[in-house]
Amino acid sequence: MAIPTNIKTLLSGDVVEWARIEFKETWDPATSLKTVCAFANDLDNWGGGYVVIGVEEENGRPVYPLKGVPLDKLDSYQKDIFAKCKLIRPAYTPIVGIETYQDKQFIVLWCPGGESRPYSSPKTMAKDNKERIHYIRKASNTVEPSDDEEKDLFQLANRVPFDDRVNHQAEMSDLNITLIQNYLKEVKSSLYEKAMTGDFTEVCRDMNIVSNLPEYTKPKNVGLMFFSMEPDKFFPYTQIDVVQFPDGLGGNDIIEKTFKGPIQQQLREALQYIRNVIIAEKVVKHPDRAEADRFFNYPYAAVEEALSNAIYHRAYDEREPIEVRVENDRIEIVSFPGPDRSVTIEGLKSYRVSNRRYRNRRIGDFLKELHLTEGRNTGFKKILDSLEKNGSPKPEFETDDDRSYFITRLFIREGFVKNEKRPDVSGVSDTNLKNETSFETSLKQVLKQKDYKKLEPVIAKLAKEDTISIQEVMELTKKSRTTAWRYMQILVECGVVEVVGSTNNVSYRRI
């Protein structure tokens, strides 16, 4: 069986955290078996970890040049690994792969969190040893648990996270091989070639997205979330709703856009939509210096991290979508339920959060492989840093005492508020200037030359008629719906047109 990532990724530490990787120059069962046991126990729901044999380490990092495993040791090491892993109780066997990198061979043990926690392994390899320990990981170390940690471990014994459970209502045919192949190619997994030519069920087993019982093969929830074309068939309201309120919460116009499909796809499509339609850049020139100030209404990095975290941490057994609410002065990202109780309300207010009980450990692994999230509590810092760099106000994070919801609130950057001073377009929409020449000439003076050229056929039509539909904009500009929408936002921000209608039937009316 092959590991679900590649050796180069493991050695870089960019996707899989260093704390989840242990490097061994040789196979040493006395120490390595304890690490395998600790990864299997997965006390903090990290998703297990990897033991890489053939790499010398220093302070938890690989030492170059890499040594690799001698060819004459590959077979004996593997046999001893399987033999010694039989000493773990209850039964647990890691997935062992042979990886080639820089013309050297390495043995990689993938140790996902087990379903029969807690696991124990012998304290020593001595024949007369009878003492067994439930080893756990603390940072990058394998240690014996304290009394409280051992109690936690036993409490987790029957708690298989929802995303790692077998879905008894689904069939193997609900998993899409093309989505699986695309994922493996993107993360450069050695499983990709096997997915193109090998047995489909075996590939799914290698990825740990199906049950392991040969007589009862069913997809796991995480497999359906990422590799089913319609995950909402199994998890209703697994979707992202982007809702815009152009005239504020009390206005009549609401623009809605819903994103469905595999969760990595809906996340990427929703982010692309927000980047194209919601995010705007402003350039302020100064007479006393050559450099202009450039800033955004909302920094994309902050929105990306907040929405990715919502996908990561929401509960997929709750029938509530993720909602992105776009108002005149803020973006709110609402998900259900709230964070673990280890995250305090006071900590949210002071931006000091340390959460080690991730709700969806497997979803987190896949998102990290796709570089869609980082994990390890770095999300808050990334949001704060991007807002500060853009000159935006600090965010707000909100939940209630029952942890029933979570809101990330990002505020618009000063200089983009709707009632701020706009370019002088006086007379553009005045009823006395309905003639074609006045309307076009006025906008030509206000808009940048490149923007006017994009919108020229639209402006010509609006000079003659009061309303234009998004379909007409698409036909006149020969652009996609998203691009046409973005073009029209230029006129909306100038205050010469307003949005009317819903997402599927949107039009623009001269003010």
Side-chain angles (χ1 to χ4, degrees):
M1 299 174 73
I3 62 173
T5 187
N6 64 81
I7 183 71
K8 184 178 180 182
T9 299
L10 289 176
L11 293 172
S12 71
D14 290 338
V15 173
V16 181
E17 302 94 332
W18 291 118
R20 295 181 56 219
I21 309 172
E22 184 147 313
F23 299 107
K24 297 289 185 183
E25 188 174 349
T26 62
W27 164 246
D28 176 14
T31 57
S32 299
L33 194 65
K34 297 174 182 178
T35 300
V36 171
C37 177
F39 283 140
N41 278 326
D42 199 18
L43 178 62
D44 291 318
N45 279 339
W46 285 354
Y50 299 84
V51 178
V52 183
I53 301 169
V55 178
E56 184 182 356
E57 65 89 20
E58 184 175 336
N59 298 322
R61 304 293 193 272
V63 174
Y64 290 85
L66 302 171
K67 293 188 176 181
V69 177
L71 292 177
D72 60 345
K73 297 286 186 180
L74 284 175
D75 189 56
S76 61
Y77 277 4
Q78 290 182 80
K79 288 179 179 178
D80 197 49
I81 287 168
F82 286 114
K84 292 298 189 294
C85 284
K86 289 181 180 179
L87 299 174
I88 295 176
R89 297 286 184 273
Y92 178 89
T93 304
I95 296 167
V96 181
I98 305 297
E99 296 288 318
T100 302
Y101 183 62
Q102 294 183 350
D103 297 325
K104 294 186 175 74
Q105 303 293 313
F106 301 86
I107 299 177
V108 180
L109 280 62
W110 177 34
C111 312
E115 294 184 6
S116 302
R117 296 177 286 184
Y119 295 92
S120 66
S121 71
K123 187 170 184 178
T124 71
M125 290 290 107
K127 289 184 178 180
D128 58 349
N129 172 73
K130 294 183 180 180
E131 188 175 0
R132 305 183 67 84
I133 305 294
H134 297 101
Y135 290 100
I136 62 170
R137 292 288 283 187
K138 269 194 173 181
S140 58
N141 300 310
T142 296
V143 299
E144 296 184 24
S146 65
D147 290 342
D148 288 340
E149 287 166 338
E150 191 155 33
K151 287 178 184 177
D152 283 347
L153 195 55
F154 274 92
Q155 288 174 357
L156 289 169
N158 296 316
R159 281 178 49 195
V160 178
F162 180 78
D163 60 343
D164 209 24
R165 295 178 193 169
V166 175
N167 193 301
H168 300 285
Q169 283 70 49
E171 303 295 340
M172 290 298 294
S173 58
D174 291 310
L175 297 176
N176 185 288
I177 183 61
T178 302
L179 291 174
I180 291 173
Q181 290 169 347
N182 290 342
Y183 166 80
L184 293 172
K185 183 178 181 180
E186 183 173 349
V187 303
K188 298 180 175 60
S189 171
S190 56
L191 275 175
Y192 173 66
E193 294 298 329
K194 186 175 181 179
M196 296 297 293
T197 58
D199 179 76
F200 173 63
T201 301
E202 190 175 338
V203 170
C204 292
R205 284 205 180 99
D206 288 348
M207 295 176 68
N208 194 18
I209 59 174
V210 298
S211 59
N212 287 320
L213 295 175
E215 71 278 10
Y216 185 75
T217 304
K218 292 279 189 176
K220 290 187 176 183
N221 287 335
V222 68
L224 296 167
M225 291 172 194
F226 280 88
F227 308 116
S228 169
M229 294 302 293
E230 297 178 298
D232 55 321
K233 173 181 172 183
F234 305 98
F235 321 106
Y237 294 96
T238 296
Q239 63 192 53
I240 301 173
D241 293 340
V242 180
V243 186
Q244 298 177 70
F245 301 90
D247 302 321
L249 294 178
N252 294 323
D253 296 330
I254 299 177
I255 303 172
E256 296 180 307
K257 180 75 172 175
T258 297
F259 299 89
K260 296 186 177 183
I263 60 175
Q264 75 277 23
Q265 175 182 307
Q266 60 180 257
L267 173 59
R268 282 171 164 164
E269 290 180 354
L271 287 171
Q272 188 63 46
Y273 175 84
I274 291 169
R275 170 175 258 169
N276 291 340
V277 176
I278 309 300
I279 304 294
E281 182 182 23
K282 180 167 283 190
V283 180
V284 179
K285 296 182 179 180
H286 302 278
D288 57 337
R289 54 187 170 91
E291 298 84 4
D293 290 332
R294 294 176 176 270
F295 51 86
F296 297 86
N297 53 352
Y298 305 98
Y300 176 75
V303 179
E304 178 185 37
E305 189 65 26
L307 189 53
S308 297
N309 284 342
I311 286 283
Y312 188 169
H313 297 296
R314 67 159 288 181
Y316 288 87
D317 52 347
E318 290 198 13
R319 299 192 172 201
E320 294 286 352
I322 294 171
E323 187 174 40
V324 182
R325 300 168 61 87
V326 184
E327 301 177 32
N328 289 337
D329 64 343
R330 68 191 64 186
I331 292 178
E332 290 185 348
I333 298 175
V334 187
S335 59
F336 302 89
D340 183 82
R341 290 191 177 277
S342 62
V343 177
T344 65
I345 294 176
E346 293 73 21
L348 289 173
K349 291 179 180 178
S350 61
Y351 313 118
R352 294 183 180 277
V353 173
S354 179
N355 176 25
R356 295 310 309 167
R357 297 294 167 82
Y358 295 130
R359 182 173 288 118
N360 301 306
R361 64 180 187 180
R362 297 294 311 285
I363 289 175
D365 282 347
F366 281 110
L367 291 177
K368 282 182 276 187
E369 289 280 1
L370 294 167
H371 299 283
L372 291 172
T373 190
E374 295 179 14
R376 295 186 64 79
N377 299 311
T378 59
F380 274 40
K381 187 177 188 306
K382 186 174 181 180
I383 291 172
L384 291 168
D385 288 349
S386 60
L387 290 171
E388 182 179 359
K389 184 178 179 181
N390 190 59
S392 300
K394 285 191 174 182
E396 288 181 0
F397 302 105
E398 179 184 322
T399 188
D400 60 356
D401 290 335
D402 295 328
R403 304 298 196 273
S404 61
Y405 70 89
F406 187 75
I407 298 176
T408 299
R409 194 172 286 120
L410 307 177
F411 297 98
I412 198 167
R413 204 262 199 204
E414 183 181 357
F416 278 93
V417 181
K418 290 232 173 182
N419 60 7
E420 68 180 339
K421 186 176 179 182
R422 298 173 181 270
D424 184 11
V425 292
S426 58
V428 172
S429 57
D430 192 279
T431 54
N432 295 324
L433 295 176
K434 290 270 186 170
N435 64 82
E436 179 180 339
T437 304
S438 298
F439 186 80
E440 293 182 340
T441 301
S442 298
L443 278 174
K444 187 174 287 187
Q445 295 172 351
V446 171
L447 297 176
K448 296 177 183 177
Q449 185 177 359
K450 63 176 183 179
D451 289 338
Y452 184 87
K453 190 170 182 180
K454 295 175 187 175
L455 288 160
E456 192 166 9
V458 176
I459 294 170
K461 185 172 182 64
L462 281 170
K464 299 173 183 177
E465 301 177 15
D466 287 340
T467 305
I468 188 170
S469 68
I470 190 66
Q471 190 63 39
E472 289 175 315
V473 176
M474 292 166 60
E475 293 171 358
L476 289 170
T477 60
K478 296 181 174 57
K479 297 293 182 182
S480 67
R481 187 182 187 85
T482 300
T483 303
W485 199 317
R486 185 156 42 87
Y487 281 7
M488 292 306 295
Q489 285 299 109
I490 297 172
L491 297 183
V492 171
E493 291 175 5
C494 282
V496 297
V497 298
E498 62 180 355
V499 181
V500 294
S502 63
T503 302
N504 296 326
N505 193 30
V506 67
S507 297
Y508 299 86
R509 181 172 57 217
R510 278 183 57 181
I511 299 174

